[in-house]
Amino acid sequence: MNFITEAVAKAVKSLYQIDLNPADVNLQETRKEFEGQVTLVTFPFTKASRKSPEQTGQEIGAFLQNQVDEIAAFNVIKGFLNISLSDTYWLGKFYNEVLADDFGFIKPNGQKVMVEYSSPNTNKPLHLGHVRNNLLGYSVAKILEAAGFEVVKTNLVNDRGIHICKSMLAWQKFGNGETPESSGMKGDHLVGKYYVLFDKEYKKQIEELVASGQSEEEAKKNAPLMKGAQEMLQKWEAGDAEVIGLWKTMNSWVYAGFAETYKRLGVEFDKYYYESNTYLLGKDIVEEGLEKGVFFQKEDGSVWVDLTADGLDQKLVRRSDGTSVYMTQDLGTAQLKYDDFHMNESIYVVGNEQDYHFKVLFLILEKLGKSWAKGLYHLSYGMVDLPSGKMKSREGTVVDADDLIDEMEQTAKEQTEALGKTEGLSEVDKAELYHTIGMGALKYFLLKVDPKKRLLFDPNESVDFQGHTGPFIQYTHARIRSVLSRVASSDNTGSTVSKLFPEERDLILLLNQFPDIIEQAAKGHNPAAIANYAYEVAKAFNKFYHERSILQAEDEQTKQFRLQLSAASVNVIKKGMGLLGIEVPERM
Ligand code: ARG
């Protein structure tokens, strides 16, 4: 609000002969319990005014009210001058900005950002942790887009390695040719089943070997299944046709399964990276690091980086047998991503169990002098727990993403039917509605919390139509749509109200904040800012709706204005929820 800072600078110049740069005027949002919208702290001027902070506030306030049309009133509480802007001012904002079609979305800033998220392994289906990851990654990408960035959404698939060979070997040995078609199982679940089976059979072999006198450690190494998996990995690396054929087939089953889950989750990617293509890339960087003296070699030939001076430890980047480790691959992939896209910022959405990994990764790249290293950011998030006893997966360990989505649709169905809100809907419409509500509940519940925080997901609470939930906001959206659908939109004659009721003003003020909230959420990589804002808008609308009649308004002008206010509210709710990847139904 430049005009206020300028006016304040003028006021203190004229009243107290202070030469103040408008940039140094410090304005804040007025606290909720006070009247007004903008607050000036008057202490800095008391030296020149030689009056109490209260008196100084009174003088500046009177000056401003006199000189600035948009300032309608003021009050002083101790050293705080609270300023109320006129309804004309807020109505101007409303008509010129809030009602515009592209309101909220910030114009392109010429910056490019990559968001890597999901990044699963192809040996088992997606689980609850992936769900939080996918929802966060997708939402952050949407928010950055709205904030003016060009966004590239990527998925780095871990499609090779010993864990993949384990499911392949188990299938070869025990699968009897079973396929997704023959078994009716989703491909990722089928492969996951063999991964679990490998482990079970492997444990049996270890027990047998231990019973026959081997130590636990020996048994783990000597078990035929483990030897077989390692052999398979070597064959894979050598390009053995049979192994590669099996690998391709089983991975294609997994991808078909992932595609279904991604579709149900409503996420997508612009670019896939596969570790089978990138796992050798880091080798060049190891050489580069040795040349630059950032890495050093130990006697056994292994290559390390020493980060003890930075408070971290020594980290292996190449084994003595010349093979690379997770870190090496990530060094290579980081370079590849940059070469492909030249982005200004590169975000990795990965759980907080990898905090240390990313600290080390970014530090190494900085030490190697990569100009783009300062644009790397680890969007770390906490675990998701479920109330105990809820939804165990088939294997009984982690919660499966597909099961969770089914469960959410079911819960949404029960809630909706209990409230009797389904009359007149076809079966197809109902199924779609339950999906929208169920996913809205899940997404909102996971995204309203700061990503860093561990969270406990409660399916029933998340679907509560009255709570701080996705379905509550979805319901508010549907309610507004229903009001709007009851009148034919009339041409606006241009004349409108000139005075606002408090609920109307509050709503306009809140809507007006949307672009700032988007910017905040983008800066903080934090969808929770949008989630909580959407809730505030829904609440403010409901208050307005209860206090003021829309269709039975006092006069036609007022009715038109309130319809426009409702339309603006519904648009902001829809856009805001869209930034969370949440759809809003027209009716529910
Ligand atoms: N696939 C890995 C895992 O499941 C996550 C990869 C994260 N991304 C990365 N660039 N390291 O743990």
Side-chain angles (χ1 to χ4, degrees), residues 116 119-121 156 158 326 330 337 348 350 354 357-358:
E116 185 216 287
S119 300
N121 305 339
L156 172 65
N158 178 205
Y326 182 41
D330 249 340
K337 285 170 162 181
Y348 294 77
V350 183
Q354 296 194 29
H357 171 77
F358 284 101

Side-chain angles (χ1 to χ4, degrees), residues 281-296 303-305 307 310 317 327-328 330-332 334-335 360-374 376:
L281 284 176
K283 305 223 165 187
D284 293 344
I285 294 207
V286 174
E287 293 304 328
E288 184 185 334
L290 282 169
E291 259 165 50
K292 290 183 173 162
V294 176
F295 299 159
F296 69 95
V303 179
W304 297 72
V305 60
L307 301 173
D310 301 277
V317 292
M327 186 63 70
T328 328
D330 249 340
L331 287 165
Q335 180 73 57
V360 171
L361 174 67
F362 298 167
L363 189 57
I364 293 176
L365 289 165
E366 224 167 82
K367 286 188 184 290
L368 288 172
K370 304 289 175 189
S371 61
W372 40 268
K374 57 188 177 314
L376 301 169

